[in-house]
Amino acid sequence: MKKIGVFICHCGINIKDTVDVDRLTEELADYPGVAYIENYMFMCSDPGQNHIKDAIHERKLDGVVVAACSPTLHESTFQTVLKESGLNEYQMEIANIREQCSWVHTDIEQATHKAKLIIKTAIEKLKLNESLYPVSAPVTKKALVIGGGIAGIQAALDIADAGFQVIMVEKKPSIGGHMIQLSETFPTLDCSQCILTPKMVALSKHKNIKLYVNSEVESIDGYVGNFNVKIKQEALYVDPAKCNLCDDCTEVCPVLVPSEQDEGLSWRKAIYIPFPQAIPATYTLDVENCLGLEPIACGKCREKCIAEAINYDATDTIIEEEVGAVILATGFDLYPVENIPEYGYGKYPDVITSLQFERILSATGPTGGEIYRPSDGKVPKEIVFVQCSGSRDPEHHLSYCSKICCMYTLKHAKLYKHKVHNGQPYIFYIDIRAGGKRYEEFVQQAVSEEGILYIRGKVAKIYKEGDKMIVIGMDTLSNKKIEVKADLVVLAMGIVPSEGSHDLVKRLKINTDDKGFLSEAHPKLRPVESLQAGFYLAGTSQGPRDIPDSVSQASGAAAKALILLSSDKIYHSPIIASVDEDLCSGCAICVGTCPYGARELNEVSKVVEVNEILCEGCGACISACPSGAAQQKNLTDDQIDNMIKIIASGK
Amino acid sequence: MAKPKIAFYWCASCGGCEEAIIDLHEDILKVAELIDIVFWPCAMDFKTEDVKNMQDNEITVCFINGAIRTSEQEEMSKLLRKKSQLIVSFGACSQLGGIPGLANFWDRESIFASSYGGKCPSVDNPDGVVPQEVSEVPEGELYLPRFHNTVKTTDQVIDVDYYLPGCSPAPYLTMQAITTILSGDLPTKGTVLAPNKALCEVCSRNDSKPEKLSIDKINRVSLVEVDPEKCFLAQGIICMGPVTRSGCNGENDGRCIAANMPCRGCYGHPSEVHDVGAKMVAALASVVGLEDEEDMSEADVQKLLDQIVDPAGTFYRFSLAKSYFRRKIMTDSKEEK
Ligand SMILES: Cc1cc2nc3c(=O)[nH]c(=O)nc-3n(C[C@H](O)[C@H](O)[C@H](O)COP(=O)(O)OP(=O)(O)OC[C@H]3O[C@@H](n4cnc5c(N)ncnc54)[C@H](O)[C@@H]3O)c2cc1C
Ligand code: SF4
Ligand code: SF4
Ligand code: SF4
């Protein structure tokens, strides 16, 4: 039988105050298999680790149970102790008597008893543990970045600058994301395009970056370090290499489409460049609105193009790429404003969204940066901004705070005051959240110097009277109904994961939280990693945030991806599925249950085989296998059975 | 040298296992020359006294079929254990409790109430007479064995050396077992003397299983037209083949499968399965609605699973007494463990 050492940690008082460690030590000393047992104040400390090492040598231990905190914290610490002592690290088991015992109980008697059972289960498991060695595979030294907003751009540039190849896939005709639509950015009020376009240009010129626009990732197969990506690129009706940006085509195109870039406040043609600084700098033919890709139907643009860049016969292509890491930067959309019908958006042209207002404020926007209201082009003398439109309303809309709306609304009010000096901005708010660097100063300055009127309350209804918009709300400070007559109402819409993000996660089976934002592997300690190995998260696809946070997270994600790309091999936990060939009947029930495609029926031997690198050790196949042939390494049915027996016996 | 002595005994069983011995036909004659049958109450006239008078370990090998339902079966098994060098647990009822084991969903009281209390249409018992362990008659006292609350497997009552599975064991496996034992080259104790791979291994229908098996409707053989070539599971019909040892029909399709009926599981589980029902439930739960898993609500899943008629009887048809549960919980723990 294995000689097992048991090391019980006090964790200062964390464990010791609730679990009688001395009694445990005494009572477990005679348990079959236990060759040595002790308790100590901090097992994870250097002296604590040395206790383990010494005992391994002196007592010739074959395995170690550390009764301490959760294995998510110190498993690797103690595994290293075993390795350094010449034992296989998988001969170590942690009995979690802190999170699963001392922290959740108060009764010393019962907690001590429970701790004893937990330690016994760990001993029973360890008895049948095999020595295992990490599974390894090579790494494809290339990254895929999905989404070309500021977050994706930053991550791509960082990885490319470190000397690795990057494939960027953007759904729209140009990169830039939402930031390219913004006027000026809080809290410094620098021009959004002025700071973004240099990065866009740098990306387009970077020798290590390959950009696919009007493209979407169809599928990603393979595994961390070795993904096969299928990208669907929409037909290139305009050859970017030939197009000389003369703009002749748009002049002749007879079709008008509301401009996406201007949030529907202006028109574009069916052949168009989304904005002058678009990257890649080329025109896109919008097939959905084009009259028909045939000279008989229209054909005006092709006739007009002297560069002969237009080809109506182009077709969608599927491009295959191999990459080692994937960065998801699919961004956000505004919460659908149609969900708040009482605000009258769509019915009244002078109720607009915050992004529309950004366009009105922007020098490249539909009004050239002058503030006119959409209905009649008058300069609005009074504007109401409605914060939390759709946010922080768990009963009807989004439960969460969209984090950026307080700040951008204040920015809107300020920029409005800079242009319309005698104008009066009102802001309906619930709270002002200004937690960022220099944000509070930005707020204070605006309130004291710019004459912005803040009204604490929620807006209940907006309607039109004459040429005024009447905003009805409840002032929650005075508890009085309040009514403001305004020329323009701007809804500070909350933000949600982008539609592109939704589609993608469904296709790629990426974990999201209950709001649809991409899930991080650990909310505090692994915020830029996805639960799927090799996938990293950047920007608003993971949660609402502003530009500085998106950029820092993107650099964080890039750094994580670079750790992977700069390794020659990746190692993978050996706690994975195995198949006993002598038992497998080839019934193939397990094959379809594997979410990672790691199982395959060998048509010759009629036995299922596991691709060890693909297997994540999720255990789906193991519970599916009716014959007991599929087993999880070091977590076999026998081990689980023995552990259950301890717990069920209560002794 | 004296011939090896062989005994056959039956406990709670239908008699099919005895038939299975008879089914050895002329093969039995080959061994009959080599052995002495010293005890076989079903076929020859022996008395308990004869066994009691034997020396300990005098019997070379004793084959016991049937589950342990009564005190008499328990006593006889214990006696035979004492007198035999080897015990072979013969057939599904002995190995796993078999069909009699399903009575563990009830207890003595409820069984008597149902059998003698007028609920059983085939029993004519107007006075509601219930069997008594001791009855006074003019001639003195009469004894009947005690009817236990719980049906047990042979190995839950005595130490067992080998198992021959099946309802009933295939004659060729019985012959193989006898020859192996007579050869003296004994397998490890506890061995089940049948192939260890599940039935799908030999099933001609296995190739018709789709790559991703997903069951979106549970069907029953009595209600659909069964495709004789297609895997039952792929037709939504519960087949216990994947959790059941092969061997009932050699290298050919299982006996039931060949008759276009799904495997019911009488050959018991391969060695690494601890609980047949739990394994099969886990397997089914893994593939039921697999294809549309993401779009299914809890209620949809429930609806699908509700289509399984008599789940306990289906998944534990032969193995309830040997399962983790063993029996229905008895509220006031009456007699035995
Ligand atoms: C009205 C308003 C004003 C704001 N003002 C400020 C400000 O002043 N200061 C500040 O710091 N922040 C501001 N913000 C926040 C800022 O816009 C965001 O923090 C930033 O744009 C987030 O960048 P991103 O790259 O995460 O997402 P996005 O900009 O949304 O970029 C995501 C990109 O991914 C692409 N994509 C999506 N799905 C797919 C797919 N499946 N395949 C390929 N590509 C895909 C999209 O087309 C898009 O290009 C403001 C936001 C709003 C709404
Ligand atoms: S444990 Fe099984 S189901 Fe899970 S990844 Fe590995 S092979 Fe696939
Ligand atoms: S479920 Fe088990 S027996 Fe069936 S093919 Fe998979 S590993 Fe083999
Ligand atoms: S019919 Fe039954 S035994 Fe045959 S392959 Fe299907 S599940 Fe297995």
Side-chain angles (χ1 to χ4, degrees):
Chain A
M1 202 195 303
K2 270 184 195 165
K3 286 164 99 179
I4 293 172
V6 179
F7 299 85
I8 303 170
C9 184
H10 305 180
C11 192
I13 55 166
N14 276 299
I15 292 171
K16 192 171 177 258
D17 265 10
T18 330
V19 169
D20 185 341
V21 289
D22 288 325
R23 205 169 85 206
L24 274 187
T25 311
E26 209 174 290
E27 289 182 1
L28 286 168
D30 297 330
Y31 190 74
V34 176
Y36 177 74
I37 184 162
E38 68 161 66
N39 64 66
Y40 185 67
M41 188 154 41
F42 288 110
M43 228 63 239
C44 60
S45 67
D46 251 27
Q49 295 182 38
N50 286 335
H51 280 222
I52 303 179
K53 284 186 194 167
D54 293 345
I56 291 176
H57 289 130
E58 283 161 23
R59 313 276 170 157
K60 306 233 171 335
L61 300 179
D62 302 305
V64 165
V65 169
V66 184
C69 54
S70 158
T72 52
L73 299 165
H74 274 303
E75 183 170 54
S76 70
T77 309
F78 296 117
Q79 286 187 327
T80 309
V81 170
L82 264 77
K83 266 199 275 188
E84 288 173 354
S85 309
L87 290 183
N88 183 277
E89 66 254 46
Y90 293 95
Q91 300 296 355
M92 194 282 301
E93 281 299 328
I94 290 204
N96 180 356
I97 58 166
R98 194 180 73 177
E99 285 82 345
Q100 292 178 353
C101 189
S102 71
W103 275 0
V104 288
H105 298 297
T106 47
D107 184 306
I108 296 182
E109 212 37 57
Q110 291 182 359
T112 306
H113 180 67
K114 179 169 165 186
K116 185 161 86 180
L117 295 184
I118 295 175
I119 297 172
K120 282 187 181 177
T121 58
I123 297 174
E124 286 306 326
K125 175 171 188 296
L126 176 60
K127 282 181 184 168
L128 296 180
N129 269 11
E130 283 174 69
S131 290
L132 300 174
Y133 301 90
V135 179
S136 73
V139 177
T140 307
K141 295 180 177 289
K142 210 192 261 186
L144 168 72
V145 177
I146 309 179
I150 180 59
I153 292 174
Q154 185 63 46
L157 285 173
D158 285 352
I159 297 172
D161 284 345
F164 293 92
Q165 302 284 315
V166 177
I167 310 291
M168 173 172 276
V169 175
E170 167 60 52
K171 214 174 131 161
K172 298 205 177 120
S174 169
I175 57 170
H178 283 100
M179 189 174 164
I180 200 71
Q181 293 180 287
L182 305 183
S183 53
E184 289 162 31
T185 55
F186 64 74
T188 46
L189 296 189
D190 33 11
C191 149
S192 189
Q193 302 200 338
C194 311
I195 55 175
L196 177 60
T197 46
K199 283 189 184 284
M200 292 165 59
V201 173
L203 186 142
S204 73
K205 301 252 182 286
H206 207 298
K207 65 175 182 9
N208 287 342
I209 302 181
K210 210 194 283 176
L211 172 63
Y212 297 106
V213 291
N214 291 319
S215 301
E216 285 217 58
V217 172
E218 285 244 306
S219 65
I220 301 185
D221 296 322
Y223 49 92
V224 53
N226 298 277
F227 296 112
N228 305 313
V229 186
K230 279 210 177 92
I231 301 161
K232 183 170 157 217
Q233 188 177 42
E234 278 177 26
L236 280 174
Y237 296 107
V238 182
D239 182 349
K242 290 188 186 155
C243 170
N244 60 17
L245 301 172
C246 66
D247 205 36
D248 286 350
C249 52
T250 65
E251 274 164 28
V252 295
C253 176
V255 184
L256 282 175
V257 182
S259 151
E260 293 86 359
Q261 173 70 3
D262 282 340
E263 293 290 318
L265 293 175
S266 71
W267 303 93
R268 64 159 171 87
K269 294 294 182 63
I271 187 161
Y272 69 112
I273 183 162
F275 49 92
Q277 315 95 311
I279 296 289
T282 186
Y283 283 66
T284 295
L285 192 152
D286 160 8
V287 250
E288 264 168 42
N289 289 296
C290 167
L291 288 181
L293 286 183
E294 284 174 55
I296 316 160
C298 172
K300 288 203 168 71
C301 57
R302 196 174 72 175
E303 254 163 55
K304 189 77 186 173
C305 180
I306 38 169
E308 295 187 351
I310 300 175
N311 168 17
Y312 292 154
D313 301 326
T315 50
D316 293 357
T317 44
I318 299 282
I319 298 149
E320 292 194 33
E321 293 277 1
E322 289 186 353
V323 301
V326 181
I327 296 203
L328 302 167
T330 43
F332 71 96
D333 281 339
L334 294 185
Y335 179 66
V337 61
E338 309 78 58
N339 291 0
I340 323 180
E342 60 274 26
Y343 287 179
Y345 180 91
K347 197 153 135 206
Y348 313 121
D350 293 330
V351 177
I352 61 173
T353 69
S354 46
L355 260 181
Q356 287 179 316
F357 197 60
E358 288 284 344
R359 294 313 297 153
I360 291 176
L361 290 169
S362 169
T364 59
T367 58
E370 295 308 318
I371 302 178
Y372 304 124
R373 65 177 193 176
S375 63
D376 52 11
K378 274 197 210 149
V379 176
K381 288 284 177 276
E382 280 162 311
I383 298 194
V384 167
F385 295 93
V386 184
Q387 284 193 183
C388 298
S389 290
S391 301
R392 301 179 66 190
D393 186 353
E395 274 165 41
H396 307 99
H397 305 290
L398 304 172
S399 58
Y400 54 87
C401 163
S402 294
K403 197 168 172 184
I404 54 173
C405 322
C406 287
M407 293 305 292
Y408 75 57
T409 297
L410 181 59
K411 170 187 79 173
H412 288 168
K414 267 192 180 188
L415 293 175
Y416 166 68
K417 279 295 281 184
H418 294 178
K419 298 244 165 92
V420 185
H421 303 299
N422 58 352
Q424 180 58 59
Y426 300 88
I427 300 180
F428 276 88
Y429 74 107
I430 304 182
D431 299 294
I432 298 298
R433 299 191 163 170
K437 191 165 168 176
R438 285 199 289 276
Y439 286 11
E440 181 61 19
E441 293 85 332
F442 188 69
V443 176
Q444 289 310 331
Q445 186 268 344
V447 175
S448 58
E449 292 169 26
E450 313 256 17
I452 296 165
L453 271 177
Y454 269 101
I455 303 165
R456 191 171 198 278
K458 273 218 102 142
V459 169
K461 194 175 165 55
I462 299 169
Y463 60 93
K464 195 171 167 175
E465 217 174 75
D467 74 341
K468 288 276 185 188
M469 300 307 308
I470 314 294
V471 180
I472 308 284
M474 194 67 181
D475 183 331
T476 47
L477 291 178
S478 63
N479 240 343
K480 282 199 187 113
K481 188 174 145 191
I482 191 159
E483 186 184 306
V484 181
K485 288 197 167 75
D487 300 307
L488 183 65
V489 179
V490 179
L491 305 176
M493 300 308 301
I495 71 176
V496 293
S498 70
E499 213 185 298
S501 202
H502 274 301
D503 298 345
L504 192 76
V505 295
K506 256 203 162 154
R507 268 201 307 277
L508 303 188
K509 301 212 164 66
I510 308 248
N511 289 38
T512 58
D513 60 25
D514 57 340
K515 316 285 185 283
F517 290 109
L518 305 179
S519 285
E520 60 282 353
H522 186 283
K524 286 162 205 156
L525 302 178
R526 294 173 68 194
V528 301
E529 291 159 80
S530 154
L531 284 163
Q532 276 82 1
F535 284 73
Y536 306 94
L537 318 174
T540 44
S541 57
Q542 190 243 354
R545 55 173 52 88
D546 56 19
I547 297 166
D549 281 0
S550 298
V551 171
S552 27
Q553 197 198 15
S555 289
K560 282 284 177 194
L562 284 169
I563 297 177
L564 174 63
L565 298 182
S566 49
S567 348
D568 288 328
K569 277 193 165 170
I570 46 146
Y571 293 93
H572 181 316
S573 162
I575 308 287
I576 52 172
S578 65
V579 174
D580 183 339
E581 292 174 20
D582 293 336
L583 276 173
C584 174
S585 71
C587 74
I589 288 179
C590 59
V591 176
T593 65
C594 176
Y596 304 97
R599 296 180 84 82
E600 208 179 341
L601 182 68
N602 181 322
E603 287 301 336
V604 180
S605 63
K606 297 284 175 200
V607 163
V608 159
E609 287 166 357
V610 182
N611 179 328
E612 298 205 324
I613 279 282
L614 283 186
C615 172
E616 289 283 326
C618 71
C621 59
I622 290 141
S623 42
C625 173
S627 75
Q631 296 283 343
Q632 180 105 318
K633 289 189 184 161
N634 284 358
L635 202 62
T636 58
D637 284 1
D638 284 336
Q639 286 175 298
I640 295 174
D641 247 40
N642 291 346
M643 291 161 81
I644 292 176
K645 276 181 197 146
I646 296 283
I647 293 167
S649 77
K651 285 189 287 221
Chain B
M1 205 181 81
K3 288 187 191 169
K5 294 182 177 164
I6 301 221
F8 298 100
Y9 190 68
W10 57 351
C11 296
S13 70
C14 65
C17 283
E18 305 288 335
E19 281 294 340
I21 305 284
I22 312 282
D23 280 349
L24 293 174
H25 302 300
E26 52 268 31
D27 280 350
I28 189 101
L29 299 177
K30 286 188 216 147
V31 281
E33 290 165 18
L34 305 171
I35 58 168
D36 276 338
I37 296 179
V38 293
F39 186 58
W40 189 4
C42 168
M44 305 170 188
D45 187 19
F46 289 104
K47 297 282 180 270
T48 311
E49 263 342 276
D50 301 329
V51 184
K52 282 189 178 156
N53 290 334
M54 289 181 194
Q55 304 284 314
D56 285 1
N57 285 338
E58 189 178 323
I59 304 172
T60 317
V61 51
C62 171
F63 294 80
I64 300 181
N65 72 67
I68 311 290
R69 166 89 273 180
T70 66
S71 56
E72 182 208 24
Q73 291 154 355
E74 185 167 349
E75 279 160 26
M76 277 307 291
S77 300
K78 285 180 176 162
L79 177 64
L80 286 164
R81 173 71 272 187
K82 210 161 153 244
K83 304 291 176 193
S84 314
Q85 294 162 32
L86 295 171
I87 296 280
V88 175
S89 167
F90 190 86
C93 301
S94 167
Q95 187 198 4
L96 306 165
I99 301 290
L102 283 173
N104 284 355
F105 284 120
W106 287 271
D107 52 22
R108 179 177 40 231
E109 208 176 296
S110 50
I111 292 169
F112 279 13
S114 143
S115 296
Y116 304 105
K119 284 191 219 154
C120 183
S122 59
V123 174
D124 182 23
N125 186 17
D127 301 334
V129 177
V130 174
Q132 300 296 312
E133 279 166 48
V134 188
S135 320
E136 301 281 349
V137 288
E139 294 82 0
E141 281 183 339
L142 279 183
Y143 298 97
L144 274 181
R146 186 169 174 74
F147 187 95
H148 289 320
N149 270 315
T150 304
V151 173
K152 290 180 183 168
T153 62
T154 306
D155 66 1
Q156 284 164 355
V157 171
I158 58 168
D159 198 31
V160 163
D161 296 284
Y162 304 113
Y163 301 85
L164 261 170
C167 175
S168 50
Y172 85 98
L173 286 177
T174 307
M175 261 323 278
Q176 264 175 28
I178 294 175
T179 2
T180 313
I181 290 168
L182 292 184
S183 77
D185 187 10
L186 295 179
T188 350
K189 186 168 166 184
T191 302
V192 178
L193 304 172
N196 201 14
K197 285 208 182 194
L199 192 63
C200 302
E201 160 92 0
V202 293
C203 187
S204 61
R205 304 183 186 212
N206 197 19
D207 287 342
S208 67
K209 242 189 226 128
E211 200 174 314
K212 184 173 183 175
L213 178 65
S214 171
I215 299 178
D216 50 15
K217 186 175 188 310
I218 307 285
N219 288 319
R220 303 185 76 195
V221 267
S222 50
L223 301 178
V224 291
E225 199 175 316
V226 181
D227 178 338
E229 317 240 285
K230 200 164 157 194
C231 165
F232 283 104
L233 283 176
Q235 303 183 57
I237 297 166
I238 296 171
C239 176
M240 295 290 282
V243 72
T244 304
R245 275 174 198 264
S246 53
C248 60
N249 201 14
E251 292 285 300
N252 310 313
D253 275 352
R255 281 192 278 184
C256 296
I257 308 288
N260 205 17
M261 288 295 275
C263 168
R264 294 147 51 99
C266 72
Y267 262 61
H269 51 280
S271 57
E272 287 308 303
V273 172
H274 300 199
D275 184 293
V276 176
K279 269 284 181 220
M280 194 58 196
V281 167
L284 265 188
S286 302
V287 294
V288 158
L290 185 60
E291 206 54 79
D292 303 313
E293 198 170 33
E294 262 141 56
D295 305 319
M296 283 174 83
S297 66
E298 289 282 315
D300 294 338
V301 175
Q302 189 61 48
K303 238 165 90 191
L304 225 174
L305 292 177
D306 283 347
Q307 296 171 357
I308 301 176
V309 180
D310 184 19
T314 304
F315 301 122
Y316 289 105
R317 181 175 278 126
F318 295 95
S319 68
L320 183 66
K322 191 68 183 171
S323 68
Y324 282 145
F325 309 113
R326 289 180 61 176
R327 60 156 303 113
K328 179 189 108 172
I329 293 171
M330 276 195 291
T331 36
D332 41 353
S333 87
K334 288 166 194 159
E335 121 213 61
E336 2 66 30
K337 323 116 229 165

